Amino acid sequence: MTLQAKSVAPMLQTIEADLPAGTVLHLWLKARGDGDEARLFVTVERRDVADPSTRRIEEFEFFEVTLGTGGRTVLAYDATTTTLSIAYAFRPDTVLEEGIHVLHRDARTAPPQVPESYHFRPPFGWMNDPNGFGRFGGNAHLFYQHYPHDPRWNTMHWGHAVSQDLLRWTHLPMFLFPAAHLSEKDDGRGGAFSGSAIPIAGPEGEEIRIFYTEHVRDRQPEEQIQLSAVSRDGIVAGASEIVLPLRPEGLNLTVDFRDPYVFKGPDGLWKMLLGSRDRTGGVVLLYETTDPQGADGWTFVGIVHREDGFGMTAAECPCMIPLGGKGNDPKTRWALIFGLLTSRDPATGRRNLTSVTVGRFDGRRFEPEFEQELDFGSDAYAFQAFVDGEEPVGMAWLANWTDFSKKEDFLTAMTLPRRVLLDGDAVLTPPIAAVESLRHTLIDDTALAAGEAVPLGNGAVEIVLDLAERGTAFDLAFDHPDVKLGVRLDDEGLAIVFDAGTSKTPPRYIAAGANPKELRIFLDAGSIEVFADNGRWTGTKRIPGFSAARSARLTGTVAVAKIWQLKL
């Protein structure tokens, strides 16, 4: 498929591509002003195919066009009356392998120009929480909170991508759209918020059932309700149906009632976790159903967990996974993971922390045994995990609501995929083994250990440190054009050193008391991720902008120091 865009008249814009028969086009249009009509003319080999039009001026209207014949395809519109936000093409029978072909997107909505980056980013627009993370039909599917028309939070959709190894992703068509009345105005009144996905049996094989929160600001009696939809082809969602229209009564809950996470319990029934809060803090609600399709029959079991630490409000994006064994084995312990919305650690100034609590779960009661923080960098939010074969893996949004502003573009990524392991009374989150496949070239294995400054090439690197002794102090400083950046280990613990040079005092990103022996440090455009002692201590920090760290210098004694250039 080849394409090009050009202007053939002062304000007549055209986009041309060679497209085969059966290609589907997804298009978003809006009129530029009152009284204007936005129109897009689609021709194939100079034959008229479609001319979608709209007078909507606040928000883009979606159109789908299927090409009955193939050939030279032209999209033409008058830029004085019409704004075209996004246009992409795909073939339904091959899209899982080939992905979508983006024909047009506004320059502001495009992803950053960092071709060597190895983190997942959307093909356009805004992204936050991972949703419906799982493996279906052999492919790993990643859905995510998405607004396609601007790199700023707005009316939520679900984006979609597939992968075999959780690292190399193929972008798919938009999966889930907000309700029609929410798409008519550009005011962020709500949309299809976060949720999860499960495999179900269909008449022609495995299908995907998703669950999500529909949020409508100021709706009565509920702003937030839970909906479900089924995808029979793994590409688009079918019609949504309400599965939970009301919060449970008698618990004095606030309007927070969201982020359904559905999983198979130890008793073989589908369970659903929801994040909420009452007048004392965050709560995680538990529902269950005997319906093997998960379509209906959801009944409230009770509050499965409470948390009121660090001044948090609601529990967000809960998930629960078995650790170190099968979910139906009574000896297996379970991890309950969720975000502490608006929390603030007074000792470090970090906000919106993520907690993991390990305990026993019989399908109806959760008995906590110990709790720890999931990430000392705190920019691994809305962590969602699933059991991939024999072992849980998860991903998170590589950002934090603390840094977010509705008045500024906020391009972000997902974290590296991580294993979730149990080691005694500690949860470990190392990167998945496939991350080693990113190692392209060994840049250095002597100079960094000798205290020399080592150039980092394009800045997409993994640094491996084996300390002389456990807890040996070191200071790894990066020459970064935009921020002060480094990794330090001293008597206080393991820290990501970060200062953007603003007037605000930055938080301290530290794992107090950590004394690791081995570290893996991943740098990429816009991020740093630190995994110490196989993820016993994990820290993630978003870096504003997409400039690369230019070099690294190590102070301290290490047994081994290696730097790998990474590449997808």
Side-chain angles (χ1 to χ4, degrees):
M1 178 181 294
T2 60
L3 58 97
Q4 65 187 60
K6 62 183 179 181
S7 175
V8 297
M11 294 305 291
L12 182 63
Q13 301 293 319
T14 66
I15 301 158
E16 301 184 15
D18 289 320
L19 302 175
T23 295
V24 177
L25 302 177
H26 281 182
L27 315 160
W28 282 263
L29 303 170
K30 72 175 180 181
R32 284 197 170 272
D34 289 332
D36 288 338
E37 181 181 22
R39 296 193 71 180
L40 181 70
F41 299 92
V42 182
T43 61
V44 177
E45 297 295 344
R46 300 185 179 182
R47 296 189 300 273
D48 294 339
V49 172
D51 60 342
S53 65
T54 180
R55 293 188 180 275
R56 186 183 291 179
I57 61 172
E58 289 195 38
E59 185 56 285
F60 292 94
E61 187 166 355
F62 168 71
F63 298 92
E64 180 176 282
V65 175
T66 300
L67 304 184
T69 59
R72 193 65 173 172
T73 303
V74 178
L75 313 181
Y77 62 98
D78 181 351
T80 63
T81 60
T82 302
T83 300
L84 175 65
S85 172
I86 300 162
Y88 60 74
F90 65 95
R91 296 176 60 192
D93 56 338
T94 59
V95 68
L96 288 170
E97 295 78 33
E98 298 176 353
I100 62 172
H101 298 268
V102 178
L103 306 177
H104 170 83
R105 61 193 166 199
D106 185 88
R108 280 190 60 243
T109 69
Q113 298 303 303
V114 282
E116 302 303 322
S117 176
Y118 52 90
H119 282 79
F120 177 85
R121 291 185 175 88
F124 36 73
W126 163 275
M127 178 183 71
N128 57 293
D129 306 353
N131 298 152
F133 189 35
R135 194 173 290 276
F136 309 98
N139 284 316
H141 287 247
L142 173 64
F143 306 93
Y144 53 90
Q145 290 286 273
H146 187 39
Y147 180 69
H149 309 302
D150 208 12
R152 302 183 187 184
W153 186 92
N154 206 306
T155 306
M156 286 293 98
H157 304 55
W158 276 28
H160 190 195
V162 291
S163 174
Q164 288 293 315
D165 62 2
L166 305 178
L167 296 171
R168 298 162 179 88
W169 293 92
T170 299
H171 295 296
L172 296 187
M174 205 86 68
F175 182 79
L176 181 65
F177 294 79
H181 67 281
L182 295 174
S183 298
E184 294 174 355
K185 294 185 178 181
D186 179 16
D187 60 0
R189 290 179 297 147
F193 276 32
S194 290
S196 57
I198 60 172
I200 61 171
E204 298 182 5
E206 185 178 87
E207 299 176 347
I208 303 174
R209 177 176 291 280
I210 65 162
F211 300 85
Y212 67 98
T213 298
E214 183 186 70
H215 176 87
V216 179
R217 191 174 63 231
D218 299 327
R219 177 173 57 187
Q220 296 295 329
E222 299 286 0
E223 285 192 357
Q224 300 176 355
I225 60 176
Q226 315 316 313
L227 279 70
S228 181
V230 172
S231 175
R232 291 181 167 80
D233 58 7
I235 302 171
V236 296
S240 296
E241 296 182 351
I242 297 173
V243 292
L244 289 178
L246 297 168
R247 290 166 288 170
E249 297 180 348
L251 298 180
N252 202 25
L253 299 178
T254 64
V255 295
D256 300 280
F257 180 54
R258 60 178 179 268
D259 311 331
Y261 178 81
V262 177
F263 64 105
K264 188 64 68 71
D267 53 8
L269 301 181
W270 289 119
K271 311 291 178 176
M272 180 191 294
L273 301 180
L274 286 157
S276 186
R277 61 170 167 153
D278 59 18
R279 303 304 174 183
T280 61
V283 296
V284 179
L285 310 175
L286 176 65
Y287 287 75
E288 68 179 12
T289 182
T290 58
D291 179 4
Q293 300 288 308
D296 55 26
W298 288 98
T299 59
F300 179 58
V301 176
I303 293 176
V304 75
H305 189 70
R306 289 183 174 273
E307 191 75 43
D308 62 358
F310 302 106
M312 68 175 290
T313 51
E316 274 202 315
C317 300
C319 79
M320 183 178 277
I321 47 175
L323 296 180
K326 299 289 187 180
N328 58 5
D329 186 341
K331 297 179 181 178
T332 298
R333 291 192 286 181
W334 291 71
L336 173 62
I337 304 169
F338 57 92
L340 282 61
L341 183 64
T342 71
S343 58
R344 182 183 184 276
D345 177 10
T348 63
R350 292 171 305 129
R351 303 291 303 272
N352 297 307
L353 310 178
T354 297
S355 170
V356 52
T357 303
V358 174
R360 304 289 179 178
F361 179 58
D362 64 5
R364 298 180 68 85
R365 295 182 306 276
F366 179 65
E367 299 178 3
E369 296 179 358
F370 70 88
E371 181 180 3
Q372 72 180 62
E373 191 176 346
L374 192 70
D375 192 292
F376 70 84
S378 72
D379 279 0
Y381 198 70
F383 189 88
Q384 187 169 101
F386 73 101
V387 178
D388 192 13
E390 299 296 322
E391 187 177 83
V393 298
M395 291 180 75
W397 182 39
L398 210 164
N400 191 297
W401 291 115
T402 304
D403 300 325
F404 155 74
S405 169
K406 290 185 177 181
K407 298 180 180 179
E408 298 177 359
D409 294 349
F410 195 70
L411 296 165
T412 59
M414 294 296 181
T415 65
L416 286 173
R418 301 167 182 188
R419 304 163 67 197
V420 187
L421 310 175
L422 183 63
D423 184 9
D425 288 338
V427 175
L428 283 56
T429 54
I432 61 172
V435 166
E436 292 192 13
S437 71
L438 299 176
R439 293 176 178 175
H440 182 62
T441 306
L442 181 63
I443 295 177
D444 170 69
D445 61 359
T446 57
L448 187 66
E452 300 176 22
V454 181
L456 298 180
N458 61 21
V461 299
E462 176 190 357
I463 300 174
V464 179
L465 301 179
D466 187 350
L467 306 184
E469 295 181 8
R470 176 172 296 279
T472 301
F474 71 85
D475 194 331
L476 178 62
F478 299 108
D479 175 19
H480 193 283
D482 300 330
V483 300
K484 180 180 180 181
L485 186 66
V487 179
R488 179 182 299 152
L489 179 63
D490 57 22
D491 292 341
E492 292 187 79
L494 176 65
I496 296 175
V497 178
F498 175 84
D499 190 344
T502 65
S503 58
K504 296 181 180 179
T505 301
R508 298 179 65 221
Y509 302 100
I510 186 168
N515 61 339
K517 179 69 167 58
E518 300 175 336
L519 297 96
R520 297 175 69 184
I521 300 162
F522 291 83
L523 280 173
D524 196 6
S527 68
I528 181 171
E529 294 174 87
V530 178
F531 302 92
D533 281 5
N534 198 35
R536 170 61 184 88
W537 297 282
T538 297
T540 309
K541 183 71 191 80
R542 176 182 177 268
I543 302 170
F546 299 96
S547 299
R550 294 175 288 217
S551 65
R553 185 187 295 272
L554 179 69
T555 302
T557 303
V558 298
V560 176
K562 295 182 178 181
I563 305 178
W564 293 89
Q565 192 83 66
L566 302 185
K567 185 177 181 180
L568 284 171

mmCIF file with all atom_site columns, all heavy atoms in Angstrom, residues 57-71:
data_model
loop_
_atom_site.group_PDB
_atom_site.id
_atom_site.type_symbol
_atom_site.label_atom_id
_atom_site.label_alt_id
_atom_site.label_comp_id
_atom_site.label_asym_id
_atom_site.label_entity_id
_atom_site.label_seq_id
_atom_site.pdbx_PDB_ins_code
_atom_site.Cartn_x
_atom_site.Cartn_y
_atom_site.Cartn_z
_atom_site.occupancy
_atom_site.B_iso_or_equiv
_atom_site.pdbx_formal_charge
_atom_site.auth_seq_id
_atom_site.auth_comp_id
_atom_site.auth_asym_id
_atom_site.auth_atom_id
_atom_site.pdbx_PDB_model_num
ATOM 1   N N   . ILE A 1 57 ? -19.891 20.676 14.370 1.00 0.00 ? 57 ILE A N   1
ATOM 2   C CA  . ILE A 1 57 ? -18.736 21.574 14.460 1.00 0.00 ? 57 ILE A CA  1
ATOM 3   C C   . ILE A 1 57 ? -17.934 21.399 15.753 1.00 0.00 ? 57 ILE A C   1
ATOM 4   O O   . ILE A 1 57 ? -16.792 21.838 15.835 1.00 0.00 ? 57 ILE A O   1
ATOM 5   C CB  . ILE A 1 57 ? -19.165 23.060 14.340 1.00 0.00 ? 57 ILE A CB  1
ATOM 6   C CG1 . ILE A 1 57 ? -20.109 23.445 15.476 1.00 0.00 ? 57 ILE A CG1 1
ATOM 7   C CG2 . ILE A 1 57 ? -19.775 23.344 12.979 1.00 0.00 ? 57 ILE A CG2 1
ATOM 8   C CD1 . ILE A 1 57 ? -20.410 24.934 15.530 1.00 0.00 ? 57 ILE A CD1 1
ATOM 9   N N   . GLU A 1 58 ? -18.522 20.773 16.781 1.00 0.00 ? 58 GLU A N   1
ATOM 10  C CA  . GLU A 1 58 ? -17.804 20.658 18.056 1.00 0.00 ? 58 GLU A CA  1
ATOM 11  C C   . GLU A 1 58 ? -16.926 19.424 18.128 1.00 0.00 ? 58 GLU A C   1
ATOM 12  O O   . GLU A 1 58 ? -15.817 19.477 18.644 1.00 0.00 ? 58 GLU A O   1
ATOM 13  C CB  . GLU A 1 58 ? -18.802 20.655 19.218 1.00 0.00 ? 58 GLU A CB  1
ATOM 14  C CG  . GLU A 1 58 ? -19.462 21.987 19.454 1.00 0.00 ? 58 GLU A CG  1
ATOM 15  C CD  . GLU A 1 58 ? -20.148 22.033 20.805 1.00 0.00 ? 58 GLU A CD  1
ATOM 16  O OE1 . GLU A 1 58 ? -19.602 21.478 21.773 1.00 0.00 ? 58 GLU A OE1 1
ATOM 17  O OE2 . GLU A 1 58 ? -21.240 22.611 20.886 1.00 0.00 ? 58 GLU A OE2 1
ATOM 18  N N   . GLU A 1 59 ? -17.416 18.302 17.669 1.00 0.00 ? 59 GLU A N   1
ATOM 19  C CA  . GLU A 1 59 ? -16.669 17.059 17.745 1.00 0.00 ? 59 GLU A CA  1
ATOM 20  C C   . GLU A 1 59 ? -16.761 16.327 16.419 1.00 0.00 ? 59 GLU A C   1
ATOM 21  O O   . GLU A 1 59 ? -17.695 16.505 15.647 1.00 0.00 ? 59 GLU A O   1
ATOM 22  C CB  . GLU A 1 59 ? -17.231 16.184 18.870 1.00 0.00 ? 59 GLU A CB  1
ATOM 23  C CG  . GLU A 1 59 ? -16.466 14.893 19.140 1.00 0.00 ? 59 GLU A CG  1
ATOM 24  C CD  . GLU A 1 59 ? -14.989 15.104 19.441 1.00 0.00 ? 59 GLU A CD  1
ATOM 25  O OE1 . GLU A 1 59 ? -14.233 15.387 18.483 1.00 0.00 ? 59 GLU A OE1 1
ATOM 26  O OE2 . GLU A 1 59 ? -14.591 14.960 20.611 1.00 0.00 ? 59 GLU A OE2 1
ATOM 27  N N   . PHE A 1 60 ? -15.750 15.516 16.151 1.00 0.00 ? 60 PHE A N   1
ATOM 28  C CA  . PHE A 1 60 ? -15.677 14.810 14.883 1.00 0.00 ? 60 PHE A CA  1
ATOM 29  C C   . PHE A 1 60 ? -16.724 13.704 14.808 1.00 0.00 ? 60 PHE A C   1
ATOM 30  O O   . PHE A 1 60 ? -16.995 13.028 15.788 1.00 0.00 ? 60 PHE A O   1
ATOM 31  C CB  . PHE A 1 60 ? -14.278 14.215 14.697 1.00 0.00 ? 60 PHE A CB  1
ATOM 32  C CG  . PHE A 1 60 ? -13.216 15.251 14.498 1.00 0.00 ? 60 PHE A CG  1
ATOM 33  C CD1 . PHE A 1 60 ? -12.492 15.729 15.576 1.00 0.00 ? 60 PHE A CD1 1
ATOM 34  C CD2 . PHE A 1 60 ? -12.956 15.761 13.242 1.00 0.00 ? 60 PHE A CD2 1
ATOM 35  C CE1 . PHE A 1 60 ? -11.509 16.684 15.407 1.00 0.00 ? 60 PHE A CE1 1
ATOM 36  C CE2 . PHE A 1 60 ? -11.978 16.726 13.061 1.00 0.00 ? 60 PHE A CE2 1
ATOM 37  C CZ  . PHE A 1 60 ? -11.253 17.197 14.148 1.00 0.00 ? 60 PHE A CZ  1
ATOM 38  N N   . GLU A 1 61 ? -17.295 13.528 13.624 1.00 0.00 ? 61 GLU A N   1
ATOM 39  C CA  . GLU A 1 61 ? -18.239 12.447 13.389 1.00 0.00 ? 61 GLU A CA  1
ATOM 40  C C   . GLU A 1 61 ? -17.537 11.326 12.637 1.00 0.00 ? 61 GLU A C   1
ATOM 41  O O   . GLU A 1 61 ? -16.741 11.564 11.721 1.00 0.00 ? 61 GLU A O   1
ATOM 42  C CB  . GLU A 1 61 ? -19.441 12.942 12.583 1.00 0.00 ? 61 GLU A CB  1
ATOM 43  C CG  . GLU A 1 61 ? -20.535 11.900 12.442 1.00 0.00 ? 61 GLU A CG  1
ATOM 44  C CD  . GLU A 1 61 ? -21.850 12.463 11.950 1.00 0.00 ? 61 GLU A CD  1
ATOM 45  O OE1 . GLU A 1 61 ? -21.950 13.706 11.792 1.00 0.00 ? 61 GLU A OE1 1
ATOM 46  O OE2 . GLU A 1 61 ? -22.788 11.666 11.718 1.00 0.00 ? 61 GLU A OE2 1
ATOM 47  N N   . PHE A 1 62 ? -17.852 10.093 13.035 1.00 0.00 ? 62 PHE A N   1
ATOM 48  C CA  . PHE A 1 62 ? -17.187 8.908  12.482 1.00 0.00 ? 62 PHE A CA  1
ATOM 49  C C   . PHE A 1 62 ? -17.962 8.356  11.285 1.00 0.00 ? 62 PHE A C   1
ATOM 50  O O   . PHE A 1 62 ? -19.198 8.290  11.308 1.00 0.00 ? 62 PHE A O   1
ATOM 51  C CB  . PHE A 1 62 ? -17.082 7.837  13.563 1.00 0.00 ? 62 PHE A CB  1
ATOM 52  C CG  . PHE A 1 62 ? -16.687 6.484  13.047 1.00 0.00 ? 62 PHE A CG  1
ATOM 53  C CD1 . PHE A 1 62 ? -15.397 6.250  12.604 1.00 0.00 ? 62 PHE A CD1 1
ATOM 54  C CD2 . PHE A 1 62 ? -17.608 5.442  12.991 1.00 0.00 ? 62 PHE A CD2 1
ATOM 55  C CE1 . PHE A 1 62 ? -15.028 5.003  12.124 1.00 0.00 ? 62 PHE A CE1 1
ATOM 56  C CE2 . PHE A 1 62 ? -17.252 4.198  12.508 1.00 0.00 ? 62 PHE A CE2 1
ATOM 57  C CZ  . PHE A 1 62 ? -15.948 3.977  12.075 1.00 0.00 ? 62 PHE A CZ  1
ATOM 58  N N   . PHE A 1 63 ? -17.213 7.939  10.258 1.00 0.00 ? 63 PHE A N   1
ATOM 59  C CA  . PHE A 1 63 ? -17.801 7.304  9.077  1.00 0.00 ? 63 PHE A CA  1
ATOM 60  C C   . PHE A 1 63 ? -16.970 6.082  8.705  1.00 0.00 ? 63 PHE A C   1
ATOM 61  O O   . PHE A 1 63 ? -15.747 6.084  8.824  1.00 0.00 ? 63 PHE A O   1
ATOM 62  C CB  . PHE A 1 63 ? -17.835 8.265  7.881  1.00 0.00 ? 63 PHE A CB  1
ATOM 63  C CG  . PHE A 1 63 ? -18.662 9.487  8.104  1.00 0.00 ? 63 PHE A CG  1
ATOM 64  C CD1 . PHE A 1 63 ? -18.083 10.647 8.609  1.00 0.00 ? 63 PHE A CD1 1
ATOM 65  C CD2 . PHE A 1 63 ? -20.017 9.489  7.820  1.00 0.00 ? 63 PHE A CD2 1
ATOM 66  C CE1 . PHE A 1 63 ? -18.851 11.783 8.834  1.00 0.00 ? 63 PHE A CE1 1
ATOM 67  C CE2 . PHE A 1 63 ? -20.789 10.621 8.034  1.00 0.00 ? 63 PHE A CE2 1
ATOM 68  C CZ  . PHE A 1 63 ? -20.212 11.775 8.543  1.00 0.00 ? 63 PHE A CZ  1
ATOM 69  N N   . GLU A 1 64 ? -17.667 5.054  8.220  1.00 0.00 ? 64 GLU A N   1
ATOM 70  C CA  . GLU A 1 64 ? -16.998 3.845  7.722  1.00 0.00 ? 64 GLU A CA  1
ATOM 71  C C   . GLU A 1 64 ? -17.395 3.638  6.275  1.00 0.00 ? 64 GLU A C   1
ATOM 72  O O   . GLU A 1 64 ? -18.580 3.682  5.934  1.00 0.00 ? 64 GLU A O   1
ATOM 73  C CB  . GLU A 1 64 ? -17.389 2.635  8.563  1.00 0.00 ? 64 GLU A CB  1
ATOM 74  C CG  . GLU A 1 64 ? -16.722 1.339  8.094  1.00 0.00 ? 64 GLU A CG  1
ATOM 75  C CD  . GLU A 1 64 ? -17.048 0.164  9.016  1.00 0.00 ? 64 GLU A CD  1
ATOM 76  O OE1 . GLU A 1 64 ? -16.437 0.084  10.103 1.00 0.00 ? 64 GLU A OE1 1
ATOM 77  O OE2 . GLU A 1 64 ? -17.920 -0.646 8.643  1.00 0.00 ? 64 GLU A OE2 1
ATOM 78  N N   . VAL A 1 65 ? -16.406 3.422  5.433  1.00 0.00 ? 65 VAL A N   1
ATOM 79  C CA  . VAL A 1 65 ? -16.631 3.209  4.000  1.00 0.00 ? 65 VAL A CA  1
ATOM 80  C C   . VAL A 1 65 ? -15.916 1.924  3.589  1.00 0.00 ? 65 VAL A C   1
ATOM 81  O O   . VAL A 1 65 ? -14.734 1.744  3.910  1.00 0.00 ? 65 VAL A O   1
ATOM 82  C CB  . VAL A 1 65 ? -16.100 4.393  3.160  1.00 0.00 ? 65 VAL A CB  1
ATOM 83  C CG1 . VAL A 1 65 ? -16.229 4.104  1.665  1.00 0.00 ? 65 VAL A CG1 1
ATOM 84  C CG2 . VAL A 1 65 ? -16.820 5.676  3.525  1.00 0.00 ? 65 VAL A CG2 1
ATOM 85  N N   . THR A 1 66 ? -16.613 1.029  2.892  1.00 0.00 ? 66 THR A N   1
ATOM 86  C CA  . THR A 1 66 ? -16.009 -0.201 2.381  1.00 0.00 ? 66 THR A CA  1
ATOM 87  C C   . THR A 1 66 ? -15.877 -0.097 0.862  1.00 0.00 ? 66 THR A C   1
ATOM 88  O O   . THR A 1 66 ? -16.843 0.233  0.158  1.00 0.00 ? 66 THR A O   1
ATOM 89  C CB  . THR A 1 66 ? -16.857 -1.429 2.747  1.00 0.00 ? 66 THR A CB  1
ATOM 90  O OG1 . THR A 1 66 ? -16.949 -1.520 4.172  1.00 0.00 ? 66 THR A OG1 1
ATOM 91  C CG2 . THR A 1 66 ? -16.214 -2.697 2.222  1.00 0.00 ? 66 THR A CG2 1
ATOM 92  N N   . LEU A 1 67 ? -14.686 -0.392 0.363  1.00 0.00 ? 67 LEU A N   1
ATOM 93  C CA  . LEU A 1 67 ? -14.433 -0.292 -1.068 1.00 0.00 ? 67 LEU A CA  1
ATOM 94  C C   . LEU A 1 67 ? -14.810 -1.595 -1.755 1.00 0.00 ? 67 LEU A C   1
ATOM 95  O O   . LEU A 1 67 ? -14.239 -2.658 -1.477 1.00 0.00 ? 67 LEU A O   1
ATOM 96  C CB  . LEU A 1 67 ? -12.952 0.012  -1.319 1.00 0.00 ? 67 LEU A CB  1
ATOM 97  C CG  . LEU A 1 67 ? -12.387 1.268  -0.636 1.00 0.00 ? 67 LEU A CG  1
ATOM 98  C CD1 . LEU A 1 67 ? -10.930 1.488  -1.058 1.00 0.00 ? 67 LEU A CD1 1
ATOM 99  C CD2 . LEU A 1 67 ? -13.224 2.495  -0.960 1.00 0.00 ? 67 LEU A CD2 1
ATOM 100 N N   . GLY A 1 68 ? -15.764 -1.515 -2.669 1.00 0.00 ? 68 GLY A N   1
ATOM 101 C CA  . GLY A 1 68 ? -16.184 -2.705 -3.399 1.00 0.00 ? 68 GLY A CA  1
ATOM 102 C C   . GLY A 1 68 ? -15.180 -3.131 -4.451 1.00 0.00 ? 68 GLY A C   1
ATOM 103 O O   . GLY A 1 68 ? -15.070 -4.315 -4.795 1.00 0.00 ? 68 GLY A O   1
ATOM 104 N N   . THR A 1 69 ? -14.450 -2.168 -4.991 1.00 0.00 ? 69 THR A N   1
ATOM 105 C CA  . THR A 1 69 ? -13.402 -2.460 -5.967 1.00 0.00 ? 69 THR A CA  1
ATOM 106 C C   . THR A 1 69 ? -12.114 -1.824 -5.501 1.00 0.00 ? 69 THR A C   1
ATOM 107 O O   . THR A 1 69 ? -12.109 -0.897 -4.674 1.00 0.00 ? 69 THR A O   1
ATOM 108 C CB  . THR A 1 69 ? -13.767 -1.915 -7.357 1.00 0.00 ? 69 THR A CB  1
ATOM 109 O OG1 . THR A 1 69 ? -13.951 -0.493 -7.270 1.00 0.00 ? 69 THR A OG1 1
ATOM 110 C CG2 . THR A 1 69 ? -15.038 -2.555 -7.878 1.00 0.00 ? 69 THR A CG2 1
ATOM 111 N N   . GLY A 1 70 ? -11.005 -2.306 -6.022 1.00 0.00 ? 70 GLY A N   1
ATOM 112 C CA  . GLY A 1 70 ? -9.709  -1.778 -5.620 1.00 0.00 ? 70 GLY A CA  1
ATOM 113 C C   . GLY A 1 70 ? -9.102  -0.897 -6.687 1.00 0.00 ? 70 GLY A C   1
ATOM 114 O O   . GLY A 1 70 ? -9.594  -0.811 -7.810 1.00 0.00 ? 70 GLY A O   1
ATOM 115 N N   . GLY A 1 71 ? -7.997  -0.232 -6.319 1.00 0.00 ? 71 GLY A N   1
ATOM 116 C CA  . GLY A 1 71 ? -7.287  0.629  -7.249 1.00 0.00 ? 71 GLY A CA  1
ATOM 117 C C   . GLY A 1 71 ? -6.871  1.927  -6.594 1.00 0.00 ? 71 GLY A C   1
ATOM 118 O O   . GLY A 1 71 ? -6.856  2.057  -5.366 1.00 0.00 ? 71 GLY A O   1
#
